Amino acid sequence: MIRREEPRIGAFLRVTEAEARAQAEAADHRLAAGDGAGPLTGIPVAVKDVLSVEGVETTAGSRILAGYRPPYDATAVARLRAAGAVFVGMTNCDEFAMGSSTESSGYHLTRNPHDPSRVPGGSSGGSAAAVAAGEAVLALGTDTGGSIRQPAAFCGVVGVKPTYGRVSRHGLIAFASSLDQVGPFASSVSDAALVLQAMSGLDPKDATSADRPVDLLGELELGVEGLRLGVPREYFQVEGMESGVRAAVDSALLLLERQGAELVEVSLPHTDYGLAAYYIIAPAECSSNLARFDAVRYGARDESARTLLETYLRTRRAGFGTEVRRRVMLGTYALSAGYYDAYYLKAQKVRTLIAQDFERAFEHCDAIVSATAPSVAFPIGAKVDDPVAMYLNDVLTLGGNLAGLPGVSVPCGTSEGLPVGLQVLAPQWADATALRVARAYEAARDA
Ligand code: GLN
């Protein structure tokens, strides 16, 4: 499948065929022997290029990490390995996960399997496209502002962003540490839940990972009878909301209502400020996280430099792409003396207000439903010269990151022949509720 689809899609940066074959053989032996098989034994999983896989080149879609082979597995990867997964390769993404279209990868484009003239979304576009094209059964991504949910919506697959702290970030190449979460892509909600179950839980190597019970499968088939689903007024009025997307989501909400859910209108009054706050906080954190790429410790190095300073400057100039440089500069500016209070501190206050919006909304409902993104997959090149237009695509997802909430995107029909995603957000640690609502929708849709 990978050999057939890759020339058309370009979902992968590296296909690890030899390793995958060895892992698959080991899985066959385990299955034949009838012992030691895990829940994912023999299942092909693609990994976003930001998650360390032991011995496999992992570059975060950046030239600056070309040639870097991590000496250990990220915890999420290690746990799936222990559950029997077969890793088939590293998927393309926006450089350091910064973007919404995978067009800012330092390597190549990825095309949307539903229409190769369009983007797959981003930043985890390669993972979403790999699952949509049948190149992998499952894939891992990361979501800092929507990078699992939005590409899942654009490619017509299921994507889950867990509660912040649910999955360890150990071994994840950091973008914005207070927002990043690892999560799965799959063709169905139950497959996604299975992967999430296998990789969740406390990890002593990540101090922000939580010691919370992990039962993501128990509620899955309970349906939505008696659940209150909040419909946030502001999420249906955002800039760039396409009428076809709105119509697809409206029919999904009706279907949920027919399954016994009660739809209640809720308000998230600070929605308009989310984007601005996110685009201060995420760049601020990335400017600090990316300082470690100094040509000394990891990846590529410009050998022509004569002094240490020149080594830093030349390597970073050649190694980082435009979007990464833009964000490092923005973030450094927002954190500098004199501007810290005006920008960074202010953004943190807005972040608190947004989290409070959700807390108040969840007093009236069990989960919140909306579109995942205001548009369907856009044409390649349409937004590359307009970063703000690109950023606007995350307006419905990044609130969930600012507030640390779990969110699922599940395919809900089409607009202009392209997939639309229904987003389900739930209170912190209620990942099981978000999955349950998404599963109930999926079951009704397919009935
Ligand atoms: N598109 C958003 C950004 O560019 C979100 C990225 C992400 O979730 N990794 O920051």
Side-chain angles (χ1 to χ4, degrees):
M1 235 7 208
I2 293 180
R3 219 169 270 151
R4 201 184 78 195
E5 292 293 332
E6 270 308 274
R8 190 172 75 97
I9 306 298
F12 286 87
L13 289 173
R14 271 149 248 121
V15 177
T16 48
E17 188 172 340
E19 289 92 332
R21 279 191 192 283
Q23 290 163 22
E25 266 165 38
D28 280 345
H29 287 309
R30 239 173 290 141
L31 289 169
D35 66 339
L40 299 172
T41 297
I43 309 286
V45 179
V47 179
K48 184 180 184 182
D49 195 36
V50 293
L51 285 157
S52 306
V53 178
E54 186 181 342
V56 174
E57 189 182 356
T58 306
T59 67
S62 181
R63 293 280 170 187
I64 209 162
L65 275 173
Y68 171 64
R69 287 171 196 275
Y72 61 90
D73 277 339
T75 298
V77 169
R79 289 190 178 171
L80 297 192
R81 203 188 281 284
V86 170
F87 298 107
V88 292
M90 308 305 285
T91 57
N92 199 15
C93 57
D94 287 297
E95 190 177 5
F96 287 100
M98 298 172 195
S100 307
S101 66
T102 313
E103 290 166 293
S104 54
S105 163
Y107 297 92
H108 58 74
L109 285 176
T110 295
R111 296 173 180 278
N112 191 311
H114 295 269
D115 175 353
S117 73
R118 293 179 185 254
V119 302
S123 63
S124 316
S127 288
V131 172
E135 295 179 83
V137 172
L138 303 166
L140 294 185
T142 56
D143 192 312
T144 305
S147 281
I148 292 175
R149 289 161 288 161
Q150 184 256 22
F154 279 16
C155 289
V157 297
V158 174
V160 185
K161 178 241 175 248
T163 301
Y164 183 80
R166 181 64 90 191
V167 178
S168 168
R169 290 177 297 106
H170 174 70
L172 161 64
I173 300 173
F175 163 12
S177 309
S178 77
L179 301 160
D180 297 341
Q181 265 298 286
V182 182
F185 289 92
S187 310
S188 70
V189 175
S190 40
D191 282 0
L194 201 66
V195 181
L196 189 53
Q197 178 73 27
M199 66 184 176
S200 291
L202 181 69
D203 174 14
K205 293 180 183 141
D206 173 4
T208 63
S209 77
D211 190 7
R212 287 267 177 165
V214 182
D215 177 14
L216 301 169
L217 306 173
E219 286 182 34
L220 211 51
E221 302 295 339
L222 292 185
V224 283
E225 178 92 59
L227 286 190
R228 294 162 308 162
L229 301 181
V231 183
R233 195 179 311 136
E234 295 82 359
Y235 274 32
F236 287 77
Q237 291 160 359
V238 294
E239 197 179 326
M241 185 68 161
E242 294 176 358
S243 56
V245 169
R246 207 192 148 132
V249 171
D250 282 343
S251 1
L253 299 190
L254 275 178
L255 192 55
L256 282 164
E257 200 173 29
R258 261 184 265 139
Q259 304 310 306
E262 183 194 343
L263 299 182
V264 294
E265 190 175 301
V266 294
S267 176
L268 299 169
H270 296 93
T271 296
D272 277 353
Y273 306 104
L275 198 78
Y278 174 87
Y279 277 99
I280 294 291
I281 294 168
E285 293 187 22
C286 100
S287 71
S288 164
N289 272 327
L290 269 55
R292 64 172 66 100
F293 301 105
D294 57 4
V296 176
R297 283 172 280 196
Y298 310 91
R301 176 184 303 163
D302 186 319
E303 300 286 359
S304 70
R306 283 156 309 158
T307 65
L308 186 58
L309 183 63
E310 227 175 74
T311 305
Y312 297 156
L313 294 177
R314 287 198 188 177
T315 304
R316 287 170 69 89
R317 195 172 297 141
F320 288 146
T322 319
E323 185 60 25
V324 171
R325 270 186 282 174
R326 175 162 32 238
R327 297 206 190 188
V328 168
M329 283 193 282
L330 260 171
T332 306
Y333 182 82
L335 289 176
S336 54
Y339 296 109
Y340 183 92
D341 290 4
Y343 295 109
Y344 184 69
L345 212 59
K346 196 58 140 216
Q348 291 291 16
K349 288 180 179 166
V350 174
R351 181 176 190 171
T352 301
L353 291 173
I354 287 174
Q356 286 170 351
D357 279 0
F358 280 110
E359 272 167 35
R360 291 205 184 100
F362 285 129
E363 285 167 12
H364 306 284
C365 61
D366 303 291
I368 286 176
V369 283
S370 71
T372 303
S375 74
V376 292
F378 43 86
I380 289 170
K383 297 186 202 280
V384 275
D385 297 323
D386 187 351
V388 176
M390 189 74 90
Y391 299 169
L392 273 167
N393 228 265
D394 305 320
V395 64
L396 302 177
T397 44
L398 53 83
N401 299 77
L402 290 169
L405 309 177
V408 180
S409 181
V410 58
C412 76
T414 58
S415 165
E416 301 163 40
L418 293 162
V420 173
L422 171 74
Q423 173 175 245
V424 185
L425 295 171
Q428 273 183 342
W429 311 114
D431 307 52
T433 307
L435 290 163
R436 168 184 171 182
V437 173
R439 171 65 195 134
Y441 170 74
E442 181 187 67
R445 181 199 67 192
D446 296 343

